[in-house]
Amino acid sequence: AKELGFEFIDTDEIIEQRTGMKIDEIFSTAGEPAFRELEQKVVDEMVEWKDKVISTGGGLVAQPGNLERLKANALVVCLWAGAGTIHQRTKHQTHRPILQTKDPEATIRKLLAAREPFYKQADLLISTELRPVREIASTIAISSGALPVTAKESIRQAALKLGFDDCKFTTATPPDHGQAYEQWLALGRHGDLTWMERNSHKRLDPTQIVSNA
């Protein structure tokens, strides 16, 4: 949101503000169906919003019609991680009622299996494994086509410092195999992605990859 100059909105926070209740309270007192109804009302409003980055709960897109409506009005991005990683990130959190089980990681695996068909329909599917937040944010900002002029200029200046004659931006449609490859990586069907971390200097210096670049 900061890179694009957009407002950041979290749908769970909106629901909590309007009901005066925490998400886990809504689940325990009214049940999940009531919570999904509240989510649906927010989705109805979201289709009219402009210049916003919206964070939704993982189950929102699995509800009938939600994903289709969002894709018709916005770029839908799925930030993917494996069950083990999600468990490590959430194991100390108490505001996720669905994960308050005897075996949270097993629950996460079941949820991912059920939701994967919906997540794979996102416009952009990005693995958050072994990737710094800044890199993920930049990827999304560039893919949105709404990268601010200041951000584009900073990228151009970085390219010039690397020895490039110039750096220009254009909109391109990735090939089908590119999207399939990204999904393959995002879903954890890969070997050793730590190469990217071990060789990060090569990503910053094109001459390390192609001589005379």
Side-chain angles (χ1 to χ4, degrees), residues 15-28:
I15 292 172
E16 289 183 339
Q17 292 170 1
R18 292 180 178 179
T19 61
M21 301 170 67
K22 295 294 184 182
I23 300 300
D24 57 340
E25 291 180 272
I26 297 173
F27 268 73
S28 62

Side-chain angles (χ1 to χ4, degrees), residues 72-197:
N73 295 277
L75 177 77
V76 177
V77 180
C78 172
L79 300 179
W80 180 272
T85 299
I86 295 175
H87 177 56
Q88 289 300 313
R89 293 174 179 173
T90 61
K91 64 182 180 181
H92 298 302
Q93 298 177 354
T94 59
H95 66 283
R96 300 179 182 275
I98 293 180
L99 300 185
Q100 304 309 308
T101 62
K102 292 182 179 180
D103 191 345
E105 187 168 346
T107 300
I108 292 170
R109 291 186 188 282
K110 291 180 181 178
L111 288 172
L112 288 180
R115 296 172 179 176
E116 181 177 333
F118 299 97
Y119 292 164
K120 290 173 68 174
Q121 294 179 57
D123 298 306
L124 193 60
L125 185 61
I126 300 179
S127 172
T128 60
E129 305 262 9
L130 304 175
R131 271 177 157 174
V133 173
R134 192 176 190 85
E135 179 183 317
I136 295 170
S138 295
T139 299
I140 297 171
I142 293 172
S143 298
S144 73
L147 197 64
V149 175
T150 53
K152 291 182 179 180
E153 180 59 24
S154 65
I155 293 173
R156 193 181 77 84
Q157 291 299 327
L160 295 177
K161 288 181 181 179
L162 286 172
F164 290 98
D165 296 325
D166 201 357
C167 175
K168 298 183 182 297
F169 296 83
T170 185
T171 301
T173 301
D176 292 339
H177 68 270
Q179 183 178 10
Y181 180 66
E182 179 65 24
Q183 291 183 351
W184 178 72
L185 292 177
L187 296 174
R189 301 184 181 122
H190 54 73
D192 182 15
L193 279 183
T194 59
W195 183 93
M196 296 175 69
E197 292 299 315

Side-chain angles (χ1 to χ4, degrees), residues 29-48:
T29 59
E32 183 175 352
F35 172 75
R36 297 304 176 191
E37 287 184 15
L38 293 169
E39 271 190 332
Q40 184 62 58
K41 292 179 180 179
V42 177
V43 172
D44 292 341
E45 299 175 25
M46 286 164 57
V47 297
E48 302 294 334

